[in-house]
Amino acid sequence: MVRNPVVRDLREPKHIPVIPVPTVFIPAQMRNLTRGVAQVVVAGDTVAAVVDELEAQFPGIRQRLCHGDSLAPGLQVSVDSTVTLRGLRSKLQPGSEVHFLPAFGGG
Amino acid sequence: MSKKHHVTTSLNGQETEFLCESRQSLLEILRDQLRLTGAKEGCNNGNCGACTVLMNGVPVNSCIVLAVEANGAALETVEGLACLGHLHPLQQCFLEGAALQCGICTPGFLVTAKALLDKNPSPSEHDIRFNLANNLCRCTGYDKIVKAVQAAAKELQATQK
Amino acid sequence: MTTQNELYLGKPSYSVLGRRPVRHDGADKVTGKALYTADVNLPNMAHGKIVRSPHAHARIKSIVVSEALKVPGVFAVVTGKDWPDLKDKVAVMGEAGTVNLMHLGANCLAIDKVLYKGHAVAAVAAVNAHVAEEAARRIRVDYQVLPSVTWVLDAMKDDAPLLHPDLHTDSMGKKADKPSNVAVHLQFEKGNIADGFKLADLVVEREFRTASVHQGYIEPHAVVAMWNEDNRLKIWTATQGAFNCRQQTAELLQISISQVLVVPCEIGGGFGGKIAVYLEPVAALLSRQCGRPVKMVMQRNEVFEGTGPTPGSFIRLKLGAKNDGTLVAGEAWLAYDCGAFPGGMIGPGCMCVFSCYDLPNARVNGYDVLNNKPKTQAYRAPGSTQAAFACEQIVDELALKLGIDPIEFRLRNAAKEGTRRVDGPVYPRVGLVECLRAAQNSDHWKSPLTGKNRGRGVASGFWFNIGGASSCSASVNDDGIVNLVEGSTDIGGTRTSIAMQLAETLGISAEDVRPQVGDTDSVGYTFLTGGSRVTFATGLAAYKLGLDLQEQMKQRAAAIWECDPAAVQVLNGVYNHLGRSLTFKQIAAKIAEHKLDPVMGQASVTPEGSTNSFGVHIADVQVDPETGKTTILRYTAIQDAGKAVHPSYVEGQMQGGAVQGIGWALNEEYFFDAKDQMRNASFLDYRMPTCLDVPMIETIIVEVPNPSHPFGVRGVGETPIVPPPATIANAIQRATGVRMSELPISPARLWKALAGQAEEDGPEPCGERSS
């Protein structure tokens, strides 16, 4: 398990190399918990695992993202370009992007 | 129990009679008593046309016609359009032209369009839009409805030659 | 990028998809036989009516029902007191996440407060609707009227009347200290907008306002509920999601979902407004009380005042571009109504606002605001139309001022595969560029437009396709016809598109599949019809079902030929083995003859939302300066459908959505008076387009296959409503030189703007008074 994840700053969004672990995009309203950092490279094969890693580095972020074993109400997870339905159980590939978005339906 | 009126009418060519209270609309009698649920209630104040039936050949909003007013009138509803198992050309053109989506407004449109084509067998696009303006549709944007009426007009003209 | 969703088969041609068969339910619908909920009649049935609040905001001091109960023919009366204890109860309802049951219940029947004029407070069941209405009039409700607020910015002020004194603003999980009408604050940020705007040669910023509008389905909400003596509740209803309805109703009544059977009747339009329950649990309570089935049908004014319009909004939007038209930065501030209870559309609004563009630096702030209007619900691409009205006009203004063709400007900045949206995710393969090029090459765009007070506008729009579970099952008849049962309620003709995808998979004709929509006891769990998901997701289930049936038919053929099933080949619906062949129908005929097992297939899928649909619209308008009336001379809708299963119904979605958007642009609005009461709750004064108001809507279907569907299908239903208000506003600007930043662009408002008065007085809130 990676204990010292590489913490990447947002100011160079176009220069992210392909890296063998997932990248979590921190919602703008939670960046105060990550010292302003917008993307965090962190190992894990599920969203739950990367949230655990994030909490270890940035205490307090888990209670914003989760309620118990589920995503916080009003949130959904997108892995790369796919909004997943499996929430914290969603599986990740090396190089996956993880985004936390407002939940929405349709009409 | 309030006094009931005895009404006699011709309904889709058949002599039909019913009892109704003063306050009951023609739409209510058609749907609830005569069990002809083709005419729909969309607004109950004459503004959407989903309840359209023909009364002596003229399209009326049956939700604002009192049932007693139908005494002695000839009524036509969507149920009377098809004949002996064959769809009316309007019905056929609506199907082939995909001129319905949810279908709730369709009976009203069919009946109104029939009245138009009976009166004006080769209407222009403007004629069609003007005469159907009392029928609201929220699903189709009207394009395919107008085209279906145009197609039906052509077909009726061809069969009459 | 992950490839786990790559399902596209890349077939070069199709035998069923792309054709235009007559829809399977068509004959019923054109003969008036199709059963909509209000057509259902059961023995011993009672009729229910709702009592509604005349006040926009009030505390309920008491409700006296005794006089109503004395009316002959009255069977039952219920109020909010008849709910089970819903305090602190939440339910997880699919993609909407957790739903506060107290709020959901209180919206169906108020508990201690009324929060909008029209809010339901009591319900009566009686022998017929007339008696129910008479009894309803005798229910005495004592209100303590409270100050109210309807304009979204007023509702955000510190001194605004509070709708829910225990509600604190949620900022992605962080709760504010003080209570507020601001239910949610969202923020998205990409790059650095301060640096970005410094690079701009031109910056344009404007404020926009939009009024509440309603989905306007012609069929009012209706339900028949029957509480049976075995404690099972059967509900016939007009719903976009039978399973969703089942869950909401069961949760509100605190019974198990298996006690509830929901039969989705034919539905007369939904557009997002028939997802939340209103009448179902109330009719159920009445039925339980009186022991009869209870039918409830809303009147039109109840639909306007008591269901869920889309948010009204205030948007401030700024974009910066270089002289060559490259966008460098954008900032948007959006405040959307959510009405009486939280759970509005600000999320997708914020995600869609810049979604058509590759914008390197952007910040979006969005607010869901409570106010004394009915709780907002989804209306076809919820939140996206309001956002596009703002963004597409600023884009248009930039293009105009920089002297760049508006389509060319969009092409230079268009979102493509790999573009990152402001909320984070990167687009997969998408078709905006193709749509823009199709617009450029269209007959409409190439035709000259001349004449005074005439102008041409263009705008683009975006919406998602959501995922969610879909189930279907089928059996093969002796005559080779396949009976398909699927779980997606049909609001636009989808049962035929799903049947076509099954037919394509099996190599049979669409006419040889008989689809029906199942109820919650007869088909597997299927998520609601909405989010442009059905043709995509339930179609995927039909594809898998087809593969299942095909496998079984191979086994039957193998049994008939006494060979190994693995040796049977299938091509275009013909099964072959060593020179022998049988068609699908021939095998079906032999199954009974050879006493083989009947063929019964099933499939369920839970695809994830991985795709979307872009659209571009073009409008030519003529403005009459003496009346302010705008006439649409020509209108073209262009959209990426991935693969059009039934082109007539894809066109139909594009045309229908475009005309709804035209109504939104030119006439439709909720008009509130000084007491915050809606004054135009009828089709006479809530003015939707008639067929005389619009021309033919030309359509151009672009097909950029969706990688996550075997046939490349994208959901198309919602996107068409996104571009129209901006398209028309842009056209009006070209026709008159005036940019209209308020919806609707009604004749009175446009006339005033043209006469120059609006510039002197300042913009008026759309139909509402500031408190």
Side-chain angles (χ1 to χ4, degrees), chain C residues 71-406:
Chain C
V71 174
V74 168
F75 304 130
V77 176
V78 296
T79 68
K81 290 197 161 62
D82 291 291
W83 292 124
D85 181 12
L86 297 173
K87 200 165 181 309
D88 300 324
K89 294 228 164 57
V90 293
V92 177
M93 307 246 197
E95 299 224 349
T98 41
V99 169
N100 180 315
L101 288 173
M102 191 85 160
H103 289 167
L104 183 63
N107 200 33
C108 297
L109 268 184
I111 294 172
D112 51 7
K113 270 180 94 173
V114 289
L115 295 165
Y116 52 97
K117 185 201 178 229
H119 195 161
V121 297
V124 180
V127 64
N128 63 46
H130 296 287
V131 173
E133 265 177 39
E134 271 184 44
R137 276 195 280 272
R138 289 167 203 229
I139 292 178
R140 298 270 162 263
V141 186
D142 191 13
Y143 295 103
Q144 179 201 349
V145 180
L146 300 169
S148 58
V149 60
T150 46
W151 174 229
V152 66
L153 293 184
D154 289 339
M156 294 175 82
K157 291 182 180 153
D158 285 335
D159 59 351
L162 276 182
L163 273 77
H164 297 273
D166 56 346
L167 190 133
H168 299 235
T169 309
D170 178 291
S171 301
M172 261 219 184
K174 182 158 179 259
K175 290 274 196 240
D177 301 323
K178 291 187 313 167
S180 168
N181 286 328
V182 179
V184 167
H185 170 216
L186 285 176
Q187 190 182 61
F188 298 108
E189 192 130 8
K190 183 189 177 199
N192 184 315
I193 58 166
D195 291 348
F197 278 115
K198 284 192 191 121
L199 300 172
D201 294 314
L202 177 62
V203 175
V204 174
E205 181 175 19
R206 277 189 186 263
E207 293 179 353
F208 300 86
R209 295 162 191 246
T210 73
S212 299
V213 296
H214 196 271
Q215 300 82 352
Y217 29 81
I218 305 302
E219 180 203 32
H221 295 255
V223 69
V224 178
M226 183 170 79
W227 196 294
N228 213 29
E229 284 75 12
D230 59 358
N231 256 343
R232 283 212 85 208
L233 171 62
K234 189 165 179 183
I235 294 176
W236 290 259
T237 183
T239 180
Q240 290 177 237
F243 290 88
N244 195 263
C245 173
R246 179 179 77 170
Q247 188 181 5
Q248 289 179 69
T249 306
E251 296 279 6
L252 286 175
L253 300 173
Q254 289 286 287
I255 59 180
S256 75
I257 51 169
S258 302
Q259 279 176 263
V260 182
L261 161 59
V262 175
V263 179
C265 298
E266 298 296 346
I267 174 173
F271 314 114
K274 289 185 177 157
I275 294 173
V277 294
Y278 297 98
L279 298 174
E280 290 85 342
V282 179
L285 287 173
L286 286 168
S287 179
R288 184 168 64 180
Q289 210 183 91
C290 70
R292 293 168 179 252
V294 174
K295 177 192 260 185
M296 298 183 78
V297 180
M298 282 198 194
Q299 297 287 286
R300 182 53 53 180
N301 63 311
E302 296 182 275
V303 176
F304 279 119
E305 293 180 318
T307 63
T310 199
S313 69
F314 173 87
I315 300 174
R316 188 185 315 119
L317 199 143
K318 181 163 96 170
L319 278 172
K322 293 192 188 149
N323 281 328
D324 68 355
T326 310
L327 288 171
V328 290
E331 186 171 11
W333 192 97
L334 307 94
Y336 281 14
D337 295 336
C338 51
F341 295 96
M345 318 292 146
I346 195 60
C350 290
M351 293 158 81
C352 290
V353 66
F354 292 132
S355 56
C356 292
Y357 302 104
D358 187 351
L359 202 48
N361 305 287
R363 177 188 294 152
V364 179
N365 272 292
Y367 302 85
D368 247 356
V369 182
L370 294 164
N371 50 13
N372 295 110
K373 292 183 179 182
K375 182 195 180 310
T376 56
Q377 297 291 351
Y379 177 17
R380 212 163 190 168
S384 189
T385 304
Q386 297 89 329
F389 178 65
C391 183
E392 289 298 301
Q393 285 208 74
I394 302 276
V395 164
D396 189 63
E397 196 165 338
L398 284 168
L400 188 61
K401 287 186 168 150
L402 292 173
I404 301 173
D405 171 274

Side-chain angles (χ1 to χ4, degrees), chain C residues 435-455:
Chain C
C435 288
L436 288 165
R437 292 215 190 286
Q440 250 179 353
N441 294 324
S442 67
D443 184 74
H444 187 167
W445 191 252
K446 288 179 171 163
S447 306
L449 176 67
T450 52
K452 225 169 154 253
N453 298 315
R454 291 182 169 193

Side-chain angles (χ1 to χ4, degrees), chain B residues 10-24:
Chain B
S10 157
L11 178 56
N12 294 325
Q14 302 261 13
E15 185 164 297
T16 306
E17 54 182 2
F18 55 85
L19 293 176
C20 66
E21 296 174 27
S22 303
R23 65 181 170 181
Q24 289 182 296

Side-chain angles (χ1 to χ4, degrees), chain A residues 45-51 65-66 69-72 75-79 82-92 98-100, chain C residues 608:
Chain A
D45 57 0
T46 63
V47 174
V50 304
V51 170
L65 294 171
C66 308
D69 288 330
S70 311
L71 273 179
L75 283 187
Q76 58 186 357
V77 172
S78 176
V79 176
T82 301
V83 171
T84 82
L85 299 166
R86 292 164 184 89
L88 295 176
R89 283 183 282 278
S90 305
K91 290 203 167 39
L92 303 175
V98 179
H99 300 271
F100 295 97
Chain C
E608 302 181 313

Side-chain angles (χ1 to χ4, degrees), chain C residues 686-748:
Chain C
Y686 181 88
R687 179 72 168 79
M688 302 190 333
T690 71
C691 65
L692 195 55
D693 294 316
V694 291
M696 297 292 187
I697 309 290
E698 296 163 45
T699 57
I700 300 174
I701 299 175
V702 167
E703 290 182 328
V704 174
N706 169 13
S708 57
H709 186 280
F711 306 135
V713 169
R714 293 181 196 268
V716 300
E718 293 169 285
T719 298
I721 205 175
V722 180
T727 307
I728 289 168
N730 288 339
I732 289 173
Q733 197 284 334
R734 293 294 191 282
T736 64
V738 171
R739 188 159 292 284
M740 296 301 289
S741 52
E742 259 191 270
L743 286 180
I745 306 171
S746 52

Side-chain angles (χ1 to χ4, degrees), chain B residues 40 91 102 129 142-144, chain C residues 30 36 39 651 689 691 697:
Chain B
K40 307 295 180 195
Q91 291 168 312
C102 79
R129 288 184 183 277
Y142 304 106
D143 183 288
K144 292 182 190 297
Chain C
V30 298
Y36 297 81
D39 302 330
E651 291 157 4
C691 65
I697 309 290

Side-chain angles (χ1 to χ4, degrees), chain C residues 426-725:
Chain C
V426 159
Y427 284 120
R429 183 78 175 89
V430 294
L432 175 58
V433 167
E434 286 80 355
C435 288
L436 288 165
R437 292 215 190 286
Q440 250 179 353
N441 294 324
S442 67
D443 184 74
H444 187 167
W445 191 252
K446 288 179 171 163
S447 306
L449 176 67
T450 52
K452 225 169 154 253
N453 298 315
R454 291 182 169 193
R456 175 170 295 164
V458 65
S460 50
F462 164 83
W463 186 254
F464 312 89
N465 288 170
I466 69 172
S470 284
S471 304
C472 52
S473 59
S475 52
V476 179
N477 296 347
D478 289 352
D479 56 3
I481 302 295
V482 178
N483 279 102
L484 166 65
V485 181
E486 48 103 350
S488 286
T489 58
D490 186 352
I491 56 179
T494 46
R495 85 193 75 184
T496 295
S497 316
I498 293 162
M500 288 172 75
Q501 293 184 62
L502 177 60
E504 181 72 50
T505 309
L506 288 173
I508 63 178
S509 74
E511 289 77 7
D512 286 344
V513 178
R514 304 291 320 165
Q516 57 168 311
V517 177
D519 61 42
T520 56
D521 275 2
S522 334
V523 71
Y525 180 86
T526 300
F527 192 55
L528 53 84
T529 294
S532 306
R533 67 175 291 276
V534 173
T535 311
F536 158 64
T538 310
L540 178 61
Y543 165 73
K544 288 197 162 174
L545 169 65
L547 296 180
D548 180 14
L549 289 171
Q550 195 160 265
E551 261 320 294
Q552 294 186 51
M553 293 297 269
K554 278 168 80 172
Q555 286 165 11
R556 302 303 179 275
I560 293 163
W561 289 325
E562 291 174 351
C563 69
D564 178 8
V568 175
Q569 310 275 330
V570 192
L571 189 61
N572 300 331
V574 179
Y575 296 70
N576 305 284
H577 178 254
L578 297 180
R580 299 177 288 187
S581 72
L582 287 169
T583 65
F584 187 93
K585 278 194 172 150
Q586 287 168 334
I587 297 175
K590 287 186 186 298
I591 285 173
E593 183 197 332
H594 288 247
K595 301 284 185 286
L596 302 175
D597 293 343
V599 173
M600 250 231 74
Q602 53 91 27
S604 62
V605 298
T606 315
E608 302 181 313
S610 64
T611 188
N612 39 57
S613 186
F614 282 90
V616 175
H617 289 196
I618 308 169
D620 291 348
V621 306
Q622 171 147 352
V623 173
D624 181 347
E626 286 186 35
T627 61
K629 181 175 158 137
T630 302
T631 302
I632 313 240
L633 301 172
R634 189 172 180 181
Y635 200 98
T636 302
I638 298 139
Q639 192 165 333
D640 176 14
K643 171 65 193 168
V645 172
H646 192 312
S648 300
Y649 288 100
V650 174
E651 291 157 4
Q653 292 297 308
M654 292 162 72
Q655 293 165 334
V659 172
Q660 283 182 317
I662 289 169
W664 195 336
L666 292 178
N667 286 95
E668 294 177 41
E669 62 177 314
Y670 271 49
F671 188 92
F672 290 95
D673 64 14
K675 289 188 183 164
D676 293 318
Q677 300 177 353
M678 184 185 186
R679 297 305 298 270
N680 62 330
S682 90
F683 280 143
L684 184 64
D685 296 315
Y686 181 88
R687 179 72 168 79
M688 302 190 333
T690 71
C691 65
L692 195 55
D693 294 316
V694 291
M696 297 292 187
I697 309 290
E698 296 163 45
T699 57
I700 300 174
I701 299 175
V702 167
E703 290 182 328
V704 174
N706 169 13
S708 57
H709 186 280
F711 306 135
V713 169
R714 293 181 196 268
V716 300
E718 293 169 285
T719 298
I721 205 175
V722 180

